[in-house]
Amino acid sequence: MKKFILQRLIVSIPVLVGVTFLLFWLLNVVPGDPVALMMKEHISVDVVERVRQQMHLDDPAWVRYLRFLWGAVRGDLGESYKLKRPVADLILNAFPNTFLLAVAAALFAWIVGIPAGIVSAVRKYSLSDHFFMGFSLMGVSMPVFWSALLFQYLFAVKLGWLPVAGFNSWKCLVMPAVVLGWSSAGIVARLTRSSLLEVMRCDYIRTARAKGLLGVAVILRHGLKNAMLPVVTVMAIQVASLLAGAVITESVFNIPGVGRIAVGAIQARDMPLLQGAVLFETVLVIFGNLAADTLYAWLDPRIKFD
Amino acid sequence: MSKDIRPDEIPLSAPSSVPFPAEEFEAVEPPTSFLKDVWQAYRNNRMALGGALGVALLVFMAVFAPLLTPYGPFDIDLDVMTLPPSAAHWLGTDQFGRDLLTRILYGSRISLVIGIVPTLLSMAIGTTLGLVGGWYGGKIDYAIMRLADIVLAFPSVLLAMVVMYTLGASLFNLFIALAVVGWAGTSRVVRSQVISLREKEFVEACRAMGVKTPVILFRHILPNCLPSLIVLFTLGIPGAILSEASLSFLGVGAQPPTPSWGLIIVSGKEFLFSAPWIAIAPGVFILLTVLAFNFLGDGLRDAFDPYMKP
């Protein structure tokens, strides 16, 4: 087990280094002078030169990259151009909000997705099966910000049940979580359905039925337990992708999370902040996938750790 | 009896000397081509047919947009600002008095282009890299696949955002950003197919005849990857359309006054309380377009799959 995790960690190191390199190259080596952007006009060449030196912008690109990499390893992501504060602080302050949103969305996805998948599998081709699969298809076919606007219009403007946006009570979390979790709920439902359908064809299910077990017991105790294996893995991957997918949801609902930091950084042309936010979320996704792999191997004794 | 005959091939009853009656042969279906089989399977899939119809309608809208509406997409008329749907303006008007249906009709051109161009671009890159990596193996393959791993490690919206930050927001740069994000998946699929195909006899025959490597790759191996490429292409289009909408929403996609569906929703966001139709209508078109392409792609995938045949 430990060996497996260690092995996967070692394998992900080149990917992590590659991610930092690609990100740095995209944001730093391409033309465009950040100082000129910061300073606007009417600034003497001397001042620009001094600021460039202060920010180490006249060093060769590879020196700057190594400095960025070494900083990132120690948890130092530089300082925001606009806010003049350490990027790492800004991100860590915003992260709990993003995390809360992602967890709420994941909970919605599981609570809705798993029962929907079970019902669809048990009553294959029934009206409820078609309904749930339609629901699942809708989730992946709509732009997230559009469904967010629809929800705002319906539940905040028309019905007045929930606040339009903001982040100061649990009510504010309902719409963002549902909007963000909808596509995940759809994926979970489809996967639960197909996985359960496959398991229900197995011999041990027939045995369980033959010995006179009730239908519900067969489905829940024998079927679902085995069918959940791929679902659990996908759910672990989804927590990570929900964290990253929150970019748009956070923007629509005005939630002060990491995704909104990234979007704000783009609008403000604040390169270190954008770099830090994207790196943070990407590393999170990489470790989320790693956790999913480990979880799968741990749950399924057929998969050998080495 | 030779050992080569399997037990189930041993004639049980009919003595081999008696010739089979001719009508037994006539009952056998004539041999069909691969494409005919695919069409047969596709035709029986109602969802797939619906998807194809939807895509055909979209293309029709895009091609004949000017004939379908008396207005122009940029015709500002301040007398009819933010009007609800009516007989003159079927989907209402926006904050500049532009006819919403007209803008959506013209927007279908942009959506089609945004769906098709970046997907083709990313597939061209991904296919070439996948062919090269899968064929040569070794260090080249390793380098390409690690690069693909790195690109796939990024959440795609974030990577596209970074590329757009660097290049600046415009429609053309959006193509590049979506291609940069999208090639890795294609390259993995193509690579895995090339690895199994390069061991096949027809490739060995080509090599023995001295056919040059690029010719083997593009004329002999690529056509065998086509079914999966067509499916990837059809399913890539809705992905690109959704990404465009998201990036436009975040301000790094298409720029106003382009009548892109994503942008129309963004402009309608401010009028959600007073004129909700501006934001709602284009979203419905995005939803239907994405569904149509998904049905088309799923249908093609099932039709191409020989194991799915009835």
Side-chain angles (χ1 to χ4, degrees), chain B residues 52-245:
Chain B
L53 186 70
V55 171
L57 271 175
L58 182 76
V59 173
F60 178 81
M61 271 170 63
V63 172
F64 296 106
L67 302 176
L68 295 173
T69 166
Y71 310 99
F74 305 108
D75 289 355
I76 292 175
D77 183 353
L78 298 182
D79 291 335
V80 291
M81 287 192 299
T82 57
L83 285 184
S86 64
H89 301 281
W90 288 2
L91 292 179
T93 59
D94 68 4
Q95 68 272 33
F96 297 113
R98 295 175 296 197
D99 181 60
L100 197 60
L101 180 61
T102 304
R103 285 180 65 74
I104 288 174
L105 286 174
Y106 279 90
S108 64
R109 296 178 164 183
I110 293 170
S111 279
L112 266 186
V113 171
I114 280 177
I116 291 169
V117 175
T119 311
L120 274 182
L121 209 59
S122 69
M123 289 191 62
I125 301 170
T127 305
T128 312
L129 290 178
L131 282 173
V132 169
W135 180 261
Y136 289 106
K139 281 179 187 160
I140 303 176
D141 182 38
Y142 186 82
I144 292 173
M145 282 306 115
R146 291 301 78 76
L147 191 61
D149 284 349
I150 290 165
V151 170
L152 287 171
F154 281 97
S156 56
V157 175
L158 288 176
L159 185 58
M161 269 166 60
V162 168
V163 176
M164 292 305 286
Y165 172 89
T166 300
L167 297 175
S170 80
L171 207 58
F172 180 74
N173 291 342
L174 195 64
F175 296 163
I176 298 176
L178 293 180
V180 167
V181 173
W183 66 270
T186 312
S187 78
R188 274 193 180 172
V189 172
V190 172
R191 171 184 178 265
S192 69
Q193 296 208 337
V194 173
I195 285 176
S196 73
L197 285 169
R198 74 174 176 200
E199 309 297 335
K200 291 272 158 70
E201 286 84 352
F202 69 90
V203 175
E204 208 178 321
C206 285
R207 282 171 151 176
M209 288 192 300
V211 180
K212 288 200 177 71
T213 305
V215 179
I216 298 181
L217 280 179
F218 286 96
R219 191 167 318 150
H220 297 280
I221 288 188
L222 188 60
N224 282 291
C225 303
L226 265 184
S228 10
L229 285 176
I230 291 172
V231 172
L232 277 177
F233 176 65
T234 339
L235 293 177
I237 291 171
I241 290 175
L242 285 177
S243 300
E244 182 272 335

Side-chain angles (χ1 to χ4, degrees), chain A residues 95 98-99 101-107 109-110 180 184 232-247 250 258-259 277-293 295, chain B residues 152-158:
Chain A
F95 179 62
T98 303
F99 186 72
L101 173 59
V103 169
L107 279 179
W110 303 338
L180 182 59
S184 298
V232 167
T233 328
V234 163
M235 291 193 312
I237 296 173
Q238 274 176 347
V239 174
S241 70
L242 284 172
L243 288 170
V247 180
E250 283 172 5
V258 182
V278 173
L279 182 62
F280 180 80
E281 301 234 25
T282 306
V283 169
L284 225 56
V285 172
I286 292 173
F287 282 113
N289 291 342
L290 197 73
D293 273 4
L295 192 64
Chain B
L152 287 171
F154 281 97
S156 56
V157 175
L158 288 176

Side-chain angles (χ1 to χ4, degrees), chain A residues 26 30 137 141 145-146 153 157 269, chain B residues 165-166 245 273 279 283 291 295:
Chain A
L26 279 172
V30 288
L137 211 55
S141 305
F145 69 95
W146 182 69
Y153 179 68
V157 180
R269 309 270 329 150
Chain B
Y165 172 89
T166 300
F273 307 128
L291 280 177
F295 286 158

